[in-house]
Amino acid sequence: MKITRVEAIPFAIPYSKPLKFASGEVAVAEHVLVRVHTDDGIVGIAEAPARPFTYGETQRGIVAVIEDVFTAQVVGLPLLEREVVRGRLARTIGNPTAKAAIDMAIWDALGQTLELPVADLLGGFTDRLRVSHMLGFDTPDKMVADAERMRDTFGISTFKVKVGRRPVTLDTAVVRALRERFGSEVELYVDGNRGWTASESQRAMAEMADLDLLFAEELCPADDVLGRRWLVQKLDIPFIADESVPTAADVTREVLAGAATAISIKTARTGFTDSQRIHHLAEGMGLEVVMGNQIDGQIGTACTLAFGSAYALTSRRAGELSNFLDMSDDLLTEPLQIRNGYLHRPPGAGIGIRVDPDKLTRYRSDR
Ligand code: MUC
Ligand code: MG
């Protein structure tokens, strides 16, 4: 059960429909496939999505930090010593998705070794999650059409609407158009990716007060310390902290400061080991949780599903599990299938996914 090798393989898969939002745009999934090999011949996998605009990590940087720093720290350790791995990786500040992918690939290898699903090792609460789809920036008509496509084809009825950094009236028109089109058939919430000021956020939320929104996410920067506290106190719906809470300590800080009342857990940035800590903390503090999307491919989505389905709190709300649908292709032998608004856990040990070697050859960008 000892780790013998870690691979960090960059790959690039174009989106058929790029996703635009207040802090950036993703047109090509330039991710890093992480493979952890053991002396038993097991290979655990996960993916690290480079999100320079959120965490400052680039695809080349992720490969470099894994090859030059992290690999030497984990080779030789048994798969069961995940806390030792965590402690060693934590000596280096930052690099959340590189660390998370190593952690999840180790869990995948452990599950395969024990012949048990990771979701069961974590908590085994349910076998499926309800799906929420993120709607990227476009005109109101096109965003409504996108939601219709997701509802008609995949049965999805929860939508996270991207807002911020464009005229507030355009964003509120989109949300109003969605509510008018679907009535009470859909759940809606908004995510600003820090694109508004606190006062713009407050004005926009007041304008949408009749639209029955579930949540507001990261509308303004957490660094606007007093502004954000002021905003959160004024809202009568939970305010989700996302990119402001990349660690459990950040969750504590933001919640105690009154700057958040709910959190997004993203396995892409906290893996399984730190996501467990955040889940337990959230449960202890009585916070609502949404399983968030780091604009993951299918590997990352399967990781979110494994973790989200493991606990009652993380499976209560729809999880953000569908943006891979807008990619032109992916790496898995068995593509994930969303049916009737749900994503079911794939059968099998570990995370339950396998990489297709031909697809990897086609999309890897290091050869
Ligand atoms: C989200 O929930 O914010 C966009 C930027 C990012 O870091 O994640 C995505 C989705
Ligand atoms: Mg967000």
Side-chain angles (χ1 to χ4, degrees):
M1 273 214 220
K2 279 200 173 142
I3 299 168
T4 52
R5 188 154 76 98
V6 180
E7 287 180 283
I9 304 170
F11 63 92
I13 302 178
Y15 269 78
S16 42
K17 183 176 185 305
L19 186 76
K20 292 187 194 157
F21 40 94
S23 56
E25 174 176 353
V26 176
V28 181
E30 292 178 319
H31 299 180
V32 178
L33 173 69
V34 173
R35 292 204 285 211
V36 168
H37 298 253
T38 76
D39 55 1
D40 298 314
I42 299 279
V43 185
I45 61 169
E47 73 177 327
R51 296 288 167 258
F53 41 78
T54 306
Y55 308 117
E57 289 174 287
T58 62
Q59 190 186 39
R60 280 198 297 158
I62 291 168
V63 172
V65 80
I66 291 176
E67 289 182 346
D68 300 347
V69 182
F70 293 151
T71 296
Q73 293 174 342
V74 303
V75 164
L77 288 176
L79 295 174
L80 282 170
E81 293 183 15
R82 297 177 310 284
E83 289 293 310
V84 179
V85 170
R86 177 180 184 268
R88 290 194 184 172
L89 301 188
R91 289 179 196 153
T92 304
I93 299 295
N95 298 281
T97 72
K99 291 175 183 170
I102 292 174
D103 174 71
M104 293 190 289
I106 290 175
W107 275 90
D108 185 38
L110 179 63
Q112 291 183 53
T113 306
L114 302 176
E115 299 182 6
L116 290 169
V118 164
D120 289 338
L121 292 172
L122 288 165
F125 182 73
T126 180
D127 64 352
R128 74 197 75 172
L129 287 185
R130 199 154 55 86
V131 175
S132 162
H133 185 71
M134 276 196 290
L135 298 170
F137 283 179
D138 214 322
T139 59
D141 284 359
K142 288 202 176 129
M143 289 173 74
V144 169
D146 200 17
E148 274 170 350
R149 178 172 65 96
M150 288 295 151
R151 192 192 59 156
D152 297 347
T153 318
F154 302 102
I156 297 173
S157 59
T158 300
F159 297 99
K160 170 156 112 172
V161 187
K162 289 297 198 182
V163 297
R165 200 150 293 184
R166 55 184 203 159
V168 172
T169 46
L170 177 55
D171 286 329
T172 56
V174 168
V175 182
R176 194 163 292 283
L178 286 162
R179 184 56 83 207
E180 278 168 8
R181 168 65 187 83
F182 297 109
S184 57
E185 279 171 41
V186 298
E187 294 180 325
L188 297 173
Y189 57 113
V190 289
D191 181 2
N193 288 113
R194 300 161 279 141
W196 284 329
T197 64
S199 59
E200 279 169 340
S201 308
Q202 199 276 330
R203 234 175 298 133
M205 293 309 292
E207 209 175 303
M208 295 188 287
D210 60 327
L211 298 181
D212 191 23
L213 296 181
L214 272 188
F215 305 115
E217 177 170 324
E218 208 83 60
L219 298 181
C220 62
D223 282 354
D224 181 356
V225 179
L226 295 181
R228 181 138 139 182
R229 192 182 301 181
W230 168 85
L231 171 69
V232 171
Q233 276 163 7
K234 280 190 168 305
L235 295 179
D236 59 1
I237 56 173
F239 188 96
I240 299 177
D242 173 14
E243 54 266 49
S244 58
V245 294
T247 69
D250 293 314
V251 173
T252 312
R253 220 170 355 239
E254 291 307 307
V255 172
L256 292 185
T261 44
I263 53 163
S264 172
I265 295 183
K266 290 186 175 174
T267 52
R269 68 173 169 235
T270 40
F272 296 139
T273 303
D274 277 283
S275 294
Q276 283 184 306
R277 285 174 159 79
I278 293 179
H279 162 269
H280 301 338
L281 179 63
E283 190 178 65
M285 290 199 288
L287 301 173
E288 287 221 47
V289 167
V290 171
M291 289 306 299
N293 189 317
Q294 199 55 73
I295 320 172
D296 304 297
Q298 294 196 26
I299 300 174
T301 302
C303 291
T304 307
L305 175 62
F307 189 86
S309 62
Y311 305 100
L313 180 58
T314 49
S315 53
R316 191 172 297 153
R317 295 293 184 179
E320 297 167 4
L321 299 162
S322 57
N323 284 79
F324 70 84
L325 294 170
D326 289 330
M327 284 169 65
S328 59
D329 200 358
D330 217 308
L331 295 183
L332 298 187
T333 50
E334 298 289 330
L336 301 179
Q337 306 276 352
I338 297 171
R339 291 201 184 92
N340 299 322
Y342 282 85
L343 188 57
H344 287 250
R345 272 169 44 183
I351 296 165
I353 50 173
R354 298 287 166 266
V355 165
D356 179 331
D358 294 334
K359 291 200 168 183
L360 182 59
T361 303
R362 176 159 173 213
Y363 293 116
R364 67 189 297 168
S365 41
D366 56 347
R367 306 194 163 147

